[in-house]
């Protein structure tokens, strides 16, 4: 592939939206809907979770689950992430060492909100905690949902229940922040949450450095008031200030607003070179982006102070082809905007990752591969490795997760530190890609840029207050 490949060609086609939550596995698996012990394990509630999937001989010894939003703008990624988890299980014969493993794909989104739903997240977490056959959860996708689920699973019988996220980036889930974060997420005093995605202080550092390289001298920052959106906004603010970019304002928007023209008119009076928005594609992004363009003009390649216009920078909560789908505010005019996301383009992967990519693509019936599937597969491998080394109890799995050390894995080499964050990482696990909106697609602009350590620290310090 060329450097300017279209991410739209890498992600699930629109037809993939027809997949149902129960059909998120890869390959052909025996399954059971039984609420009392399908395949030797106790099934999680069918109201949120797919039938138990198991393709081994005899009965499964233990269960793992995924917790992802299977409704809304993230569905393109999450349906394929579940396929990737099932593919990893297929490759390992549905076993983790001597243990036979079954899998359920659970949904944390609702049709009412068309994104992750706090009520669903809470109900799911309590169901996970109460199912003694469940040894671990791969999720969540959204940091706000993780903030609800972690404290519940942290107190689960058996010493807690391990969660491993392939996508959460909110730094305060694991790192010291203002107030009582992250302590409030771990009431037992023991860490039971880890992630294979880098945290947002890194993304804020990458965003701010990229802004500076594009000539941005002044910036206005918006956020959605939720954990992820507010967190990445603060991180970007800290890194921008460290680079000498003047932050003209930092304010919140209400995703439920019918329009945002008054908000952008207020921002216009500050004469910014650029705007950064911390939020999600599901949050009325069509109206938000179109009102930005209506009031402040088209998204441009250079800032107003250099003869251009008001640039638009968006984090990974918006980095999906769904950003160009028609929504409440019409088809978003995101062309010219810059987007960041952890990882590198598929043409940059090699070794074990390339082997996974080549094999997994054969199961997709021609659909394009979603890069988030790689992160889900990596999370699954970490979970299964920990189970294989454990004595089959929840507490033992938790202990083994924090001993994780991966060499040349799907996202490179890394270990997990005591906080549950990537440590000593190299390869794709520490790199980001910057995309630009072009022709209603996301097109690679910079492939594989790493954060500057001093800026990551400045981003982290801003969140810590």
């Amino acid at each position: 592939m060329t450097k300017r490949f279209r991410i739209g060609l890498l992600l699930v086609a629109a037809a993939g939206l027809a997949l149902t939550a129960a059909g998120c596995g890869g390959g052909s698996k025996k399954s059971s809907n039984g609420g009392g012990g399908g395949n030797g394990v106790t099934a999680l509630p069918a109201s949120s979770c797919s039938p138990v999937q198991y393709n081994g001989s005899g009965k499964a010894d233990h269960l793992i689950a995924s917790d992802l939003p299977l409704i809304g703008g993230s569905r393109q990624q999450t349906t394929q992430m579940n396929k990737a988890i099932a593919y990893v299980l297929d490759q390992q014969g549905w076993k983790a060492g001597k243990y036979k493993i079954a899998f359920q794909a659970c949904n944390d989104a609702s049709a009412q909100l068309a994104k992750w739903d706090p009520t669903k997240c809470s109900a799911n977490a309590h169901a996970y905690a109460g199912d003694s056959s469940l040894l671990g959860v791969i999720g969540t996708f959204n940091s706000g949902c993780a903030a609800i689920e972690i404290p519940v699973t942290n107190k689960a019988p058996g010493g807690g229940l391990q969660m491993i996220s392939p996508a959460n980036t909110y730094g305060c889930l694991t790192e010291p922040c203002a107030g009582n974060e992250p302590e409030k997420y771990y009431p037992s005093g023991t860490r039971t949450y880890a992630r294979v995605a880098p945290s947002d202080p890194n993304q804020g550092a990458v965003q701010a450095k990229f802004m500076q390289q594009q000539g941005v001298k002044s910036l206005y920052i918006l956020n959605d008031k939720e954990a992820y959106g507010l967190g990445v906004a603060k991180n970007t603010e800290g890194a921008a200030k460290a680079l000498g970019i003047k932050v003209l304002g930092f304010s919140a928007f209400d995703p439920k607003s019918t329009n945002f023209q008054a908000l952008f008119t207020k921002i216009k009076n500050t004469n910014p070179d650029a705007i950064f928005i911390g939020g999600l594609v599901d949050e009325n992004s069509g109206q938000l982006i179109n009102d930005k363009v209506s009031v402040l003009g088209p998204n441009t390649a250079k800032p107003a102070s250099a003869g251009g216009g008001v640039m638009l920078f968006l984090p990974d909560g918006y980095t999906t082809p769904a950003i160009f789908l028609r929504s409440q505010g019409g088809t978003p005019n995101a062309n010219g905007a810059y987007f960041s996301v952890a990882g590198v383009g598929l043409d940059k992967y090699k070794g074990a990752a390339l082997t996974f990519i080549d094999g997994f693509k054969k199961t997709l019936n021609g659909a394009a591969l979603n890069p988030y599937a790689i992160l889900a597969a990596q999370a699954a491998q970490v979970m299964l490795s920990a189970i294989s080394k454990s004595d089959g109890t929840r507490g033992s799995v938790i202990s083994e997760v924090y001993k994780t050390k991966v060499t040349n894995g799907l996202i490179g080499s890394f270990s997990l530190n005591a906080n549950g964050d990537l440590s000593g990482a190299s390869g794709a696990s520490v790199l980001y890609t910057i995309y630009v909106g072009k022709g209603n697609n996301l097109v690679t602009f910079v492939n594989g840029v790493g954060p500057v350590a001093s800026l990551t620290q400045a981003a982290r310090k801003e969140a810590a207050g």
Side-chain angles (χ1 to χ4, degrees):
M1 293 185 182
T2 64
K3 183 176 180 181
R4 294 181 61 80
F5 69 88
R6 293 185 176 184
I7 192 172
L9 296 178
L10 302 179
L11 302 181
V12 181
L17 298 179
L19 290 170
T20 63
C24 292
S28 58
K29 288 161 286 300
K30 302 172 186 176
S31 64
S32 168
N33 264 318
N39 292 316
V41 298
T42 302
L44 291 161
S47 58
S48 291
C49 305
S50 72
V52 174
Q53 302 171 34
Y54 176 58
N55 201 28
S57 59
K59 293 184 176 181
D61 301 310
H62 301 291
L63 177 68
I64 64 172
S66 66
D67 186 281
L68 304 169
L70 301 175
I71 298 171
S74 300
R75 183 184 173 95
Q76 289 177 300
Q77 291 105 317
T78 56
T79 52
Q80 199 172 116
M81 291 168 75
N82 280 326
K83 285 180 178 288
I85 295 167
Y87 178 80
V88 169
L89 282 162
D90 271 337
Q91 294 296 298
Q92 296 189 195
W94 292 78
K95 294 182 71 177
K98 65 182 180 180
Y99 303 112
K100 300 173 182 178
I101 306 297
F103 169 59
Q104 281 184 275
C106 300
N107 172 39
D108 61 35
S110 69
Q112 181 181 11
L113 295 184
K115 66 169 191 171
W116 72 273
D117 187 322
T119 301
K120 291 278 288 184
C121 294
S122 178
N124 284 2
H126 283 91
Y128 302 149
D131 188 336
S132 61
S133 65
L134 183 68
L135 283 187
V137 177
I138 298 170
T140 62
F141 189 77
N142 298 104
S143 296
C145 185
I148 294 170
E149 293 195 11
I150 296 170
V152 177
T153 56
N154 182 254
K155 296 187 296 181
L161 177 65
Q162 183 67 51
M163 297 180 66
I164 302 178
S165 174
N168 295 158
T169 56
Y170 179 47
C172 301
L173 292 174
T174 57
E175 304 168 353
C177 288
N180 61 343
E181 291 181 297
E183 291 79 12
K184 70 178 183 180
Y185 302 122
Y186 307 98
S188 74
T190 299
R191 293 295 179 106
T192 55
Y193 168 85
R195 52 183 160 197
V196 295
S199 62
D200 279 332
N202 297 285
Q203 183 168 201
V206 167
Q207 277 274 7
K209 184 64 177 178
F210 180 69
M211 290 176 192
Q212 183 192 52
Q213 292 169 343
Q214 304 314 303
V216 172
K217 293 182 171 57
S218 64
L219 176 68
Y220 199 102
I221 299 176
L222 291 172
N223 75 88
D224 63 359
K225 297 183 288 187
E226 292 190 358
Y228 161 76
L230 177 58
V232 72
K234 285 184 176 180
N235 295 146
T236 303
E237 179 185 24
K241 287 178 177 178
L243 287 171
I245 296 174
K246 186 176 181 179
V247 177
L248 301 171
F250 187 101
S251 59
F253 68 92
D254 182 358
K256 296 179 182 178
S257 295
T258 56
N259 72 77
F260 304 93
Q261 293 200 11
L263 173 63
F264 286 114
T265 298
K266 172 187 172 183
I267 293 173
K268 184 176 183 179
N269 293 330
T270 69
N271 296 314
D273 273 345
I275 291 177
F276 175 87
I277 305 175
L280 299 171
V281 66
D282 311 278
E283 296 174 336
N284 203 1
S285 58
Q287 189 73 52
L288 186 68
I289 292 173
N290 286 342
D291 283 347
K292 180 275 172 189
V293 172
S294 174
V295 176
L296 297 173
N299 309 311
T300 61
K302 59 182 180 179
S305 61
V310 180
M311 303 177 74
L312 179 60
F313 295 88
L314 301 165
D316 58 343
Y318 295 99
T319 311
T320 164
I323 193 68
F324 295 101
L325 297 179
R326 183 174 178 82
S327 61
Q328 179 180 340
T331 302
N333 187 358
N335 290 318
Y338 291 102
F339 303 75
S340 60
V341 69
V344 295
L346 298 186
D347 58 330
K348 292 288 185 179
Y349 283 99
K350 56 186 178 181
L354 188 58
T355 300
F356 167 80
I357 290 168
D358 289 344
F360 182 57
K361 284 171 66 175
K362 295 176 183 178
T363 72
L364 299 179
N365 298 319
L369 191 148
N370 184 315
Y372 267 106
I374 301 171
L375 287 166
Q378 183 67 83
Q381 288 185 353
V382 171
M383 183 72 78
L384 293 173
S385 176
I387 292 172
S388 72
K389 297 171 184 176
S390 76
D391 63 10
T393 64
R394 287 177 168 181
S396 180
V397 171
I398 292 167
S399 178
E400 293 298 335
V401 164
Y402 291 90
K403 298 176 185 177
T404 294
K405 186 175 180 61
V406 174
T407 301
N408 297 323
L410 300 187
I411 61 170
S413 299
F414 64 93
S415 58
L416 293 174
N417 63 23
N419 289 338
D421 282 322
L422 295 171
S423 178
S426 64
S429 60
V430 293
L431 299 177
Y432 285 78
T433 300
I434 303 293
Y435 296 97
V436 64
K438 186 175 182 180
N440 291 334
N441 274 295
L442 296 177
V443 179
T444 304
F445 191 80
V446 180
N447 195 344
V449 57
V452 177
S454 61
L455 294 181
T456 298
Q457 191 58 36
R460 187 174 287 118
K461 184 177 180 180
E462 188 72 29

